Amino acid sequence: MRVFQMSDCHLFAEAKQDFHGIYPEQRFRQILNAAKAHAGPTDHLILTGDLAQDEKKQTYHRLRDCLTSWPGPFHTLAGNHDAPEWMDLLEPSSPS
C-alpha cells in the first residue's frame, strides 16, 4: 500500500493570505502537483491537521476544491486549528 501524507497545511479562506511569509494555498497546490507528477500512484492521500488556520467555512471549501484534481481517495484528520463543524465538507472520498 502506498500512502502520501501531508500535515499542517494552515490554509486560509483567502488564497493570497500569507502565513509567516508563505502562501499556504500556493504551497499546498505545488506539493499536490509534485506528488501527482513524481510520487507515482498512491492508494490514499492522508491530510492531517492543521488543515485550516482561520477555522472559516470558506477555507474548507477551498481545500475541497484543491483536492478535486487528486486522482485517488483521500482522508482527513483535524488538528487543533481546525473547525470540527466544517470538517464534514471534506467527507472522505471512497475508493474506486
Side-chain angles (χ1 to χ4, degrees), residues 79-95:
N80 65 309
H81 284 226
D82 290 309
E85 65 271 23
W86 303 126
M87 289 295 293
D88 64 337
L89 295 171
L90 302 172
E91 291 180 23
S93 58
S94 10

Side-chain angles (χ1 to χ4, degrees), residues 46-62:
I46 308 292
L47 297 170
T48 54
D50 298 320
L51 304 175
Q53 176 65 23
D54 58 9
E55 300 182 16
K56 294 180 181 175
K57 183 178 182 178
Q58 183 60 29
T59 304
Y60 296 91
H61 281 289
R62 295 188 72 75

Side-chain angles (χ1 to χ4, degrees), residues 13-62:
E14 298 296 324
K16 300 206 185 248
Q17 175 70 42
D18 78 305
F19 182 70
H20 299 289
I22 295 170
Y23 294 91
E25 184 171 332
Q26 178 185 15
R27 181 68 52 94
F28 180 72
R29 288 178 184 274
Q30 288 172 341
I31 293 169
L32 278 181
N33 290 333
K36 287 187 288 189
H38 303 292
T42 59
D43 297 302
H44 295 285
L45 169 63
I46 308 292
L47 297 170
T48 54
D50 298 320
L51 304 175
Q53 176 65 23
D54 58 9
E55 300 182 16
K56 294 180 181 175
K57 183 178 182 178
Q58 183 60 29
T59 304
Y60 296 91
H61 281 289
R62 295 188 72 75

